[in-house]
Amino acid sequence: MDVVVTGIGLTSCLGSLQATWTSILQGKSGIELRSLFSQLPSYPLGLTNSQPSKIDDLIPPLLLATLEDAGLQTPLDNCGVVIGSSRGCQANWEELATQRYNSDHSNHSNLSISNWLHTLPDHSAIATARYLRTKAPVLAPMAACATGIWALAWGYELIKTGQCQRAIAGAVEAPITPLTLAAFERMGALATTGCYPFDSEREGLVLGEGGAMFILETAELAARRQAKVYGRILGFGLTCDAHHISAPQTVKGSAARAIKQALERSNLEPLAIDYIHAHGTSTALNDYHEAQLIQHIFPQRVATSSTKGATGHTLGASGAIGTALTLMAFHQGHLPPCVGLQNLEFDLDIVTQARKAKINHAMCFSFGFGGQNAVITLSK
């Protein structure tokens, strides 16, 4: 049973799916220097609006765009839901904590989150399920930066195991909060000027807001309703290092095993891969480790890029956004460039300008904190 993608919705600091795709092909970035919180310095950030969003700002338009692109309308009572987020409604809880800290410590009775049940970690999935009015399985993965590809893998499995003929899968993230910025700054992982994946002068990551959702269907259902098809999901690899909270293992570790799992489950050899959308965070450790992985497993110098130089790092949503842009590469016949790259440090075939190419098979990588590795294989 083939699982195909028949609809995509995307939002980023560059706009909608089409706006983001067009801007990246033109080498544009949506990252800007922002001063948002009085207790923190200015940082380059990828915001979808002039002020930081909350996750409820992002879900409704993203969901509507996905359904419209797929030519579907509610109710979809048999549609599985797998929507993840690594931060969820953290902004709401930070606001409450700040209010309590700044208030009269003897009286907290007026401080609360209205409808606090709507701010739990599964909120994105539950909100989507309620909108669709589905009675099918609803899942809410949280796997750090690997969340988006985990969600796609689970959506794929719901269909392959016969639980659903259709599922909506993806991830949404609104991570620009004082705590998240302060935590990454304390780690020394934040850039001060911009995001330049695989560049010898890279400084670190840039946080961005956004997300992507996908309609997954059996090929038979898609053909029956004459839906357009962006591509097919062939397989995936999901592993954990159990090694370190933030540092990757060597090239012979679990990330390599995730890549090999995805290839094996897709019945492909490394030489069959035409393009890799890398995790490419622009941090010293990630880019070095990922470059070694690609060199180790793909001897053919496969075309590679990361789009985080244009969108910023959307954490749990980054794998979903990368997958959406890879499917657009199938659909449009161009490879997206690694925006911001000036001085390549590694012996890789990095795409630095939009490149016309025929792509039959591609892979997307996501490597999250806690050693969570997720890789997905796609075909035209």
Side-chain angles (χ1 to χ4, degrees), residues 185 239 302 320:
E185 192 278 333
T239 64
V302 60

Side-chain angles (χ1 to χ4, degrees), residues 55-366:
I55 206 157
D56 272 335
D57 301 323
L58 302 177
I59 294 170
L62 189 53
L63 179 53
L64 289 172
T66 308
L67 295 175
E68 181 180 356
D69 190 53
L72 295 172
Q73 294 181 332
T74 58
L76 295 170
D77 59 353
N78 292 315
C79 183
V81 173
V82 193
I83 304 295
S85 179
S86 74
R87 290 298 185 278
C89 299
Q90 181 178 315
N92 301 73
W93 291 95
E94 283 190 44
E95 284 184 3
L96 177 63
T98 302
Q99 290 169 12
R100 290 175 67 89
Y101 181 80
N102 292 332
S103 72
D104 177 359
H105 294 283
S106 64
N107 183 12
H108 290 154
S109 59
N110 295 324
L111 301 177
S112 65
I113 295 177
S114 61
N115 297 321
W116 68 272
L117 286 172
H118 295 174
T119 65
L120 298 180
D122 63 358
H123 174 64
S124 300
I126 297 300
T128 300
R130 287 171 62 86
Y131 184 84
L132 299 181
R133 288 177 274 171
T134 186
K135 298 178 179 66
V138 178
L139 303 172
M142 295 183 74
C145 299
T147 299
I149 292 179
W150 270 88
L152 283 160
W154 284 7
Y156 171 91
E157 285 289 277
L158 285 178
I159 295 172
K160 292 289 281 187
T161 56
Q163 296 182 69
C164 308
Q165 285 194 303
R166 177 185 291 134
I168 185 167
V172 191
E173 206 78 89
I176 299 176
T177 71
L179 179 60
T180 306
L181 282 167
F184 278 112
E185 192 278 333
R186 183 68 179 266
M187 291 176 63
L190 283 183
T192 58
T193 62
C195 181
Y196 319 114
F198 301 108
D199 196 293
S200 59
E201 303 299 319
R202 65 191 183 280
E203 301 176 321
L205 63 84
V206 168
L207 287 176
E209 300 174 336
M213 294 184 185
F214 307 82
I215 298 296
L216 312 182
E217 301 184 73
T218 64
E220 292 80 4
L221 177 57
R224 194 158 64 239
R225 67 184 193 90
Q226 298 182 314
K228 72 172 179 290
V229 173
Y230 284 97
R232 183 160 60 106
I233 298 177
L234 294 182
F236 55 88
L238 306 173
T239 64
C240 182
D241 294 349
H243 164 70
H244 191 276
I245 190 62
S246 59
Q249 276 185 309
T250 68
V251 294
K252 295 183 180 179
S254 294
R257 195 164 71 251
I259 296 170
K260 291 173 181 177
Q261 278 183 10
L263 288 167
E264 289 168 5
R265 289 171 177 166
S266 305
N267 294 313
L268 294 175
E269 296 295 328
L271 288 170
I273 302 301
D274 303 306
Y275 171 66
I276 293 171
H277 188 287
H279 191 49
T281 60
S282 188
T283 58
L285 276 180
N286 175 86
D287 289 9
Y288 173 76
H289 176 252
E290 197 165 13
Q292 284 191 316
L293 275 175
I294 294 168
Q295 290 167 339
H296 178 66
I297 297 174
F298 300 92
Q300 75 272 33
R301 286 178 56 84
V302 60
T304 301
S305 64
S306 165
T307 52
K308 290 183 176 66
T311 65
H313 190 356
T314 54
L315 303 184
S318 62
I321 289 176
T323 300
L325 295 172
T326 302
L327 289 166
M328 285 295 283
F330 282 129
H331 200 57
Q332 302 290 331
H334 284 83
L335 300 180
C338 200
V339 176
L341 175 62
Q342 298 293 325
N343 302 297
L344 178 61
E345 181 175 342
F346 308 101
D347 183 21
L348 297 173
D349 180 13
I350 298 290
V351 181
T352 56
Q353 294 183 336
R355 183 188 301 179
K356 191 172 182 179
K358 182 180 180 181
I359 317 161
N360 291 313
H361 301 105
M363 302 186 86
C364 298
F365 297 170
S366 285

